[in-house]
Amino acid sequence: DRFSLAFYAGQDDVGFPAAEDLVLNLNYGNLTGSLDWRRIVSENVFASLTLTGSRYFNFPLFEFGGTEFERANTVNDFSAKADLEWQPGQQHTVKAGLWAGNLLLTIEDRFDGNVTETSDIESQYFSGYVQDRWEISPRWNTTAGLRASYYTSGGHFRLEPRLQLEYRPTADLRLQTGYGRYYQFLTLISNEAFSGFDLWLLTDEAVPPAYGDQFLAGAKWNPVQQWSFELEGYYRNMRQLFEFDPRIPDTAGLDYSELFRFGEGYAYGAELLIRRNTGRLNGFVGYTLGATRRKFPSFNNDNFYPPKYDRLHDLNIVLNYD
């Protein structure tokens, strides 16, 4: 048996005196804690139990001419997770797990010290998964899995299949392809110009979770022990994206689902990694060429546009010298 306890706390408090009568203050951070118990049940069975708790908070304040506008957003998450790994033979590794928790999201708006809007969004969530890695032959192996998720907020139940196939034509070359479906029950509502007033929100009965299908194909080549090369391409579609509709002049009296607009998107790209694994001088060079696009009805002339997190080029260089 092995027990581990972890705790983390972080907070940022940033003030921007933009002008004599204009002040912007950002106060945000996280508190997290976890207790993990791992046990060797037998020679081929391993189990773990994890208890977690976390709190995210964001308290931005905007003051203009002595008038204050505040928006408080907190996310409290408590969960329990159990995982099991079983190796029935040399060719199979089976993993399975269950996860359950409670999410509470609180939003409160204040204008000049008075509460103008407040809401609590709470949901219990349950999920389970099973995965099997099977070495079909010395050249072929596959990893297949299925994940099931249920959120009580809206009563949404979703299945997410995953599949990866690997082929080794030679000892130093691996060809891989994969597919997965992914659902997003939480969404981050973020302004395209400024992220200080970002909000985390949940799905509801009339607000289904966003989802996407991701496809990838790649190759890993190790011609010598000292060098390795990886190249991978991917494509992902995104459906039922939901975010606050900025054209609503007044949200008072509206149902939760009427606050949102729903759209679609896609992303694609290629990633290259060159790594020097040994020697006194080692490290890697990683480069990604990628694009992300989104589209919402009656916005940007119904054309796709790049969101603020879109990055066409991303280059990382790491060097270590001993």
Side-chain angles (χ1 to χ4, degrees):
D1 297 281
R2 186 180 71 182
F3 294 88
S4 60
L5 180 66
F7 176 77
Y8 167 83
Q11 182 176 358
D12 289 276
D13 194 355
V14 187
F16 295 98
E20 185 176 343
D21 57 350
L22 179 61
V23 176
L24 181 63
N25 181 255
L26 302 178
N27 187 348
Y28 55 93
N30 288 281
L31 297 169
T32 66
S34 66
L35 174 64
D36 185 67
W37 172 28
R38 297 181 181 272
R39 178 176 176 82
I40 301 176
V41 181
S42 66
E43 291 184 354
N44 56 358
V45 178
F46 310 91
S48 68
L49 176 65
T50 306
L51 305 177
T52 66
S54 68
R55 173 180 171 83
Y56 162 81
F57 58 89
N58 183 22
F59 304 132
L61 183 146
F62 180 82
E63 181 182 345
F64 180 69
T67 301
E68 295 182 348
F69 172 75
E70 301 174 78
R71 168 170 286 173
N73 182 210
T74 60
V75 180
N76 295 284
D77 187 4
F78 298 93
S79 70
K81 184 173 66 167
D83 295 280
L84 190 70
E85 181 176 335
W86 174 43
Q87 294 180 316
Q90 295 289 338
Q91 288 75 32
H92 282 273
T93 300
V94 180
K95 295 182 179 181
L98 298 172
W99 189 16
N102 185 85
L103 266 174
L104 175 61
L105 291 77
T106 302
I107 304 167
E108 182 180 272
D109 287 344
R110 287 178 174 267
F111 182 77
D112 208 15
N114 298 315
V115 177
T116 57
E117 187 173 348
T118 180
S119 63
D120 292 329
I121 308 170
E122 188 171 13
S123 177
Q124 292 75 46
Y125 58 90
F126 307 89
S127 64
Y129 76 93
V130 60
Q131 174 184 290
D132 182 15
R133 178 175 173 82
W134 177 28
E135 294 187 12
I136 305 173
S137 70
R139 294 184 180 272
W140 291 91
N141 70 70
T142 181
T143 302
L146 181 65
R147 183 183 183 90
S149 300
Y150 175 73
Y151 275 67
T152 58
S153 59
H156 298 293
F157 175 78
R158 297 292 187 270
L159 293 174
E160 301 169 275
R162 318 279 171 84
L163 179 64
Q164 179 177 314
L165 186 64
E166 179 179 285
Y167 173 60
R168 294 191 176 188
T170 61
D172 56 7
L173 180 62
R174 291 186 292 170
L175 305 178
Q176 296 175 328
T177 184
Y179 162 79
R181 166 162 286 194
Y182 303 87
Y183 283 91
Q184 183 68 45
F185 295 86
L186 278 163
T187 187
L188 178 65
I189 306 300
S190 181
N191 186 280
E192 287 293 325
F194 177 65
S195 61
F197 291 90
D198 286 358
L199 287 174
W200 284 100
L201 292 177
L202 264 171
T203 58
D204 200 5
E205 184 174 354
V207 184
Y211 70 93
D213 296 293
Q214 179 159 297
F215 306 85
L216 62 89
K220 297 181 179 180
W221 182 40
N222 296 88
V224 294
Q225 182 181 4
Q226 196 174 38
W227 291 92
S228 61
F229 303 86
E230 298 181 20
L231 178 64
E232 184 176 277
Y234 67 90
Y235 174 82
R236 179 175 69 254
N237 59 43
M238 291 173 276
R239 300 287 185 265
Q240 295 178 341
L241 298 174
F242 58 99
E243 65 179 28
F244 269 148
D245 192 339
R247 298 166 298 180
I248 299 177
D250 186 9
T251 61
L254 296 178
D255 291 336
Y256 186 69
S257 61
E258 296 177 312
L259 303 176
F260 297 92
R261 61 181 183 182
F262 300 87
E264 60 180 313
Y266 63 89
Y268 63 89
E271 301 179 348
L272 174 65
L273 179 66
I274 302 174
R275 185 188 299 272
R276 181 181 168 93
N277 303 303
T278 60
R280 298 186 66 180
L281 180 65
N282 58 77
F284 67 85
V285 176
Y287 169 69
T288 300
L289 176 67
T292 302
R293 297 293 183 267
R294 298 181 133 203
K295 182 174 72 171
F296 291 90
S298 303
F299 181 76
N300 194 40
N301 295 322
D302 288 333
N303 294 319
F304 284 98
Y305 68 92
K308 65 179 180 181
Y309 54 83
D310 175 68
R311 291 194 296 179
L312 181 62
H313 303 284
D314 189 5
L315 177 66
N316 293 277
I317 301 175
V318 173
L319 294 176
N320 307 302
Y321 181 69
D322 184 6

